[in-house]
Amino acid sequence: MTKKAIELHEVYKTFGRVEAVRQLSLTVMSGDILVLLGASGCGKTTLLRLIAGLEVPEGGKITLNEQVVFANGRWVEPEKRGLGMVFQDYALFPHMSIADNIAFPLHHATRAQKAERTAELLQLVGLEGLDKRFPHELSGGQQQRVALARALSARPSVILLDEPFSNLDATLRKTMREEVRRILQQTHTTAVFVTHDQEEAMAIGDQIAVMQSGQVLQVGTPQEVYLQPNSLAVAQFLGEVNLLDGVAHGDSVDCALGTLELYRPDHGQVCVLVRPESVRVSLGGEPNARVIGIQFFGFYQMLQCELQDGTRLFARTWAQTNVQVGTPIRLDARGKVTTSQSSPS
Ligand code: ATP
C-alpha cells in the first residue's frame, strides 16, 4: 500500500497581519510529485518552508513519513527532517568543486563512499566528467542539475523544489522538466514543486494543488484540475475558459451552445465553464455564429466568435487559413463540461 509521505493538518502561519497559510490541510503520497500552483503571494513558498522547518507554524500539525515534525509542543529541527531542497538561484557553494558540492550533505561518509555516490549522481543528472569544475564554469541548466544532485545525494525521502527553473530560458525549462521528472521517478523520491506556471505544473506534477490566499482550492491530477475544476478560480488559473450562463438539470446543462453533458451533476442557474478547445468550429452545417477576431499562435489559433444571440466565446482551432473575420461558422461543444455557482468576475 502506498504510504503518506507528507501530511499537513490545518496548518496556520501569519506574518504580522498577513495570513500567509490558512488552516491548510494536504496529503502527499510517497513517490508522488505534488505541484503547488498559484499566483504570486498565495503562500506557496511559505508552505514549502513550513514543511522544511524553515518557518514555524502558529497552529496545526505536520507529519513527514509518519513522524510528527510539528504539533502542539513538538518540533523537529530542519536538518533532522531528512529533506532535500532546490531553490531557484541554485545556491551552490562557489568555492567548492562540483564533486564537493554534491558530496556536501554526506557528512558521515568516507572519502570512497563520497566519490562513489558523486559519480552515481553525476551520471544520473547527465554531468559525467564535470566533477572538477567550479559552479561558475557551468551553464545555468548544468548548475541546476548540480543543485538537484546535491539535494538527492543523502537519499532524502522528500525533496522540496522552489521555482527551480525560473532562471532558465524557455527551451531549457522544458528539457529540465522532463529530466527532473525522470530523475525523481527513477529514485522514487517524493517531491513538492512550487511554480506559478500552469503548463509547467501540468507537465511535471502527478498531483496539482491550486492555491489562493493561503488556502488550497483543489487538489487533483493535472487532468482533474484542468478538465474538472471545482471553481471558477481554479478554471481560470489553469487556462482560458469561456463562461456561459446556463440552467443545470442534473447530468446536463442548457446554455448558448445547446444541451451539454456535465462531469459533476448540478441544478438551477449556473455558470458553464467551457475550454476554448472544447468549442468545435465547423464550416459546413447550419451557421449559428460568426468570427469576430483571430489571434494566430503558430500551432493553433484562437477565434473570437459571436453566437446569433450575441454570446461571445473563444474557440481554439488548428491554424487553418480558410476562416477570416466575418466568416459564418457552426459552433458546438465537444466533451463534457463543468459548472460553477459563482458568476463571472
Ligand atoms: P511568489 O510566487 O511571489 O514567490 P508565494 O505564493 O510563494 O509568492 P509567499 O512567499 O509564501 O507567496 O508569501 C505569502 C504571503 O506572505 C505574501 O503576502 C508575502 O508578502 C507574505 N510573506 C512571506 N514571507 C514573509 C516574511 N518573511 N515577512 C512578512 N511577510 C511575508
Side-chain angles (χ1 to χ4, degrees):
M1 207 178 76
T2 319
K3 287 201 300 195
K4 292 173 181 169
I6 306 172
E7 272 184 282
L8 306 175
H9 180 70
E10 299 192 352
V11 173
Y12 188 66
K13 175 71 187 171
T14 59
F15 294 105
R17 271 194 247 150
V18 177
E19 291 182 301
V21 171
R22 298 191 289 154
Q23 264 77 32
L24 188 148
S25 298
L26 190 63
T27 300
V28 188
M29 302 309 286
S30 189
D32 267 3
I33 303 174
L34 174 94
V35 175
L36 298 177
L37 175 69
S40 182
C42 72
K44 307 180 293 292
T45 296
T46 304
L47 189 58
L48 209 67
R49 291 173 59 81
L50 287 166
I51 297 170
L54 301 173
E55 299 285 355
V56 186
E58 274 121 88
K61 184 175 169 188
I62 303 178
T63 310
L64 296 178
N65 294 313
E66 294 168 0
Q67 185 204 4
V68 177
V69 295
F70 175 81
N72 283 340
R74 181 157 173 78
W75 169 254
V76 174
E77 304 285 319
E79 58 276 18
K80 299 207 176 106
R81 294 191 181 192
L83 302 170
M85 287 201 76
V86 180
F87 303 96
Q88 81 184 57
D89 59 0
Y90 326 133
L92 297 176
F93 302 114
H95 58 289
M96 285 188 192
S97 69
I98 299 309
D100 288 344
N101 262 284
I102 295 176
F104 185 78
L106 306 173
H107 310 293
H108 304 299
T110 63
R111 188 186 286 227
Q113 285 167 332
K114 283 183 185 177
E116 191 187 339
R117 182 73 182 134
T118 304
E120 210 174 273
L121 284 156
L122 282 168
Q123 192 189 13
L124 183 73
V125 299
L127 293 179
E128 299 100 319
L130 300 187
D131 50 325
K132 295 199 174 56
R133 288 211 197 160
F134 284 83
H136 71 271
E137 296 173 311
L138 300 186
S139 70
Q142 289 171 328
Q143 289 187 46
Q144 197 51 290
R145 282 166 209 253
V146 175
L148 181 65
R150 185 180 59 184
L152 291 171
S153 68
R155 302 182 200 277
S157 58
V158 173
I159 181 167
L160 308 173
L161 305 104
D162 194 356
E163 306 242 11
F165 310 144
S166 56
N167 287 334
L168 307 179
D169 67 50
T171 316
L172 194 53
R173 280 177 87 120
K174 287 191 182 165
T175 320
M176 286 299 288
R177 254 183 226 169
E178 288 161 31
E179 274 285 282
V180 168
R181 192 170 160 78
R182 174 188 64 78
I183 292 166
L184 294 175
Q185 283 177 335
Q186 205 171 321
T187 51
H188 306 291
T189 310
T190 308
V192 183
F193 186 107
V194 165
T195 182
H196 58 264
D197 177 332
Q198 48 273 54
E199 190 186 299
E200 185 162 282
M202 288 192 267
I204 205 163
D206 293 305
Q207 297 278 314
I208 297 178
V210 183
M211 288 184 66
Q212 189 182 54
S213 311
Q215 290 185 316
V216 170
L217 299 178
Q218 185 174 4
V219 190
T221 63
Q223 290 83 353
E224 280 163 357
V225 290
Y226 185 80
L227 294 172
Q228 302 182 48
N230 68 0
S231 60
L232 190 54
V234 171
Q236 286 179 320
F237 200 76
L238 283 156
E240 290 99 347
V241 64
N242 293 298
L243 309 174
L244 304 176
D245 289 332
V247 181
H249 311 278
D251 291 334
S252 66
V253 62
D254 294 329
C255 65
L257 283 175
T259 301
L260 314 182
E261 251 190 287
L262 289 176
Y263 276 114
R264 264 191 311 274
D266 207 344
H267 296 276
Q269 291 284 342
V270 290
C271 172
V272 188
L273 313 177
V274 186
R275 295 280 182 208
E277 61 276 12
S278 298
V279 179
R280 184 173 35 221
V281 177
S282 38
L283 291 171
E286 184 69 20
N288 61 355
R290 67 190 176 93
V291 177
I292 58 170
I294 302 177
Q295 276 179 292
F296 184 68
F297 292 98
F299 64 99
Y300 76 93
Q301 62 188 5
M302 197 68 100
L303 304 183
Q304 196 186 3
C305 312
E306 189 174 80
L307 285 160
Q308 278 156 357
D309 70 359
T311 306
R312 290 186 172 191
L313 68 173
F314 288 98
R316 200 191 309 269
T317 71
W318 54 281
Q320 67 214 73
T321 51
N322 53 353
V323 175
Q324 278 107 39
V325 171
T327 304
I329 48 170
R330 172 88 206 165
L331 296 185
D332 296 288
R334 59 158 77 88
K336 295 184 184 179
V337 294
T338 50
T339 55
S340 156
Q341 292 292 334
S342 41
S343 50
S345 46

